[in-house]
Amino acid sequence: MKAKEIINWVVYFVCLLAVVFVINTFVVQRTMVSGDSMYPYLHNKDQLMMDKLSYRFHDPERYDIIVFPIKFEENTFYIKRIIGLPGETVQVKDGYTYINGKKLTSDIYGKEVMDEPGIAEEPIKLGSDEYFVLGDNRNHSSDSRVASVGVLTRDMLIGRAWVRIYPFNKIGVIKHE
């Protein structure tokens, strides 16, 4: 092999690594569901690709499934659904979610009555960049009702669940409705 060929291969490999780094850092990233807090929509060990780019162009919306870091564990993430948006007041009362004093009836994901309102027992007024998240499996989820998770700020949102890539029989785009 000639020196020119070796240099071409090295340059090709370095460029390939740079592209993979940019895509993984700024565009998409693989993550895995750990636990049953998003059951029945997502299951333990589901493999997802999260979109890290779209929130640079539009605001997160109610019912988006988002990924954010656990505050006290490095490289460990939660996957939850956005329920409360900036400027809204969120409260869990009698097992149900209330937004600005009105019962949230369009929430088709959290079907069970919540046993514990946690910190949302009292109304929580969200700031201009704050979000309130819940797991779909409401009685088995550490989410914004738990003080250690609490309300999220926009900069904490790493990305939006985009595609389930495993198990293979459930491959498909994640619905956010």
Side-chain angles (χ1 to χ4, degrees), residues 13 44 50 53 102 126 142:
F13 186 70
N44 188 39
M50 78 171 132
L53 193 60
K102 294 181 181 177
L126 300 175
S142 293

Side-chain angles (χ1 to χ4, degrees), residues 49-67:
M49 294 301 289
M50 78 171 132
D51 161 22
K52 298 168 80 174
L53 193 60
S54 63
Y55 289 155
R56 297 182 193 277
F57 301 104
H58 71 83
D59 291 331
E61 298 174 0
R62 191 176 332 275
Y63 306 124
D64 281 358
I65 298 173
I66 53 107
V67 179

Side-chain angles (χ1 to χ4, degrees), residues 97-105:
T97 307
Y98 287 78
I99 305 290
N100 297 330
K102 294 181 181 177
K103 186 175 177 182
L104 186 62
T105 57

Side-chain angles (χ1 to χ4, degrees), residues 8 12-13 16 31 42 77-78 82 100 109 125 133 141 157 160 162:
N8 283 343
Y12 174 78
F13 186 70
L16 185 64
T31 191
L42 297 175
F77 306 95
Y78 281 123
I82 293 176
N100 297 330
Y109 301 101
K125 175 70 173 162
V133 297
S141 177
L157 309 184
R160 180 177 184 251
W162 175 42

Side-chain angles (χ1 to χ4, degrees), residues 10 129 135 145 153:
V10 169
D129 75 335
R145 296 171 295 161
T153 56

Side-chain angles (χ1 to χ4, degrees), residues 23-95:
I23 288 172
N24 194 49
T25 303
F26 300 107
V27 182
V28 295
Q29 180 177 326
R30 187 192 63 78
T31 191
M32 182 175 71
V33 176
S34 179
D36 294 318
S37 72
M38 290 300 291
Y39 181 84
Y41 193 70
L42 297 175
H43 299 263
N44 188 39
K45 307 254 190 230
D46 280 2
Q47 301 283 323
L48 310 175
M49 294 301 289
M50 78 171 132
D51 161 22
K52 298 168 80 174
L53 193 60
S54 63
Y55 289 155
R56 297 182 193 277
F57 301 104
H58 71 83
D59 291 331
E61 298 174 0
R62 191 176 332 275
Y63 306 124
D64 281 358
I65 298 173
I66 53 107
V67 179
F68 61 97
I70 294 176
K71 292 178 184 174
F72 308 108
E73 295 181 42
E74 195 170 323
N75 295 320
T76 308
F77 306 95
Y78 281 123
I79 299 173
K80 304 294 177 197
R81 193 176 297 277
I82 293 176
I83 300 297
L85 299 171
E88 295 180 334
T89 300
V90 180
Q91 183 176 15
V92 175
K93 186 169 51 173
D94 301 323

Side-chain angles (χ1 to χ4, degrees), residues 144-160:
S144 288
R145 296 171 295 161
V146 179
S148 63
V149 176
V151 170
L152 306 179
T153 56
R154 172 88 183 248
D155 64 331
M156 295 171 71
L157 309 184
I158 295 173
R160 180 177 184 251

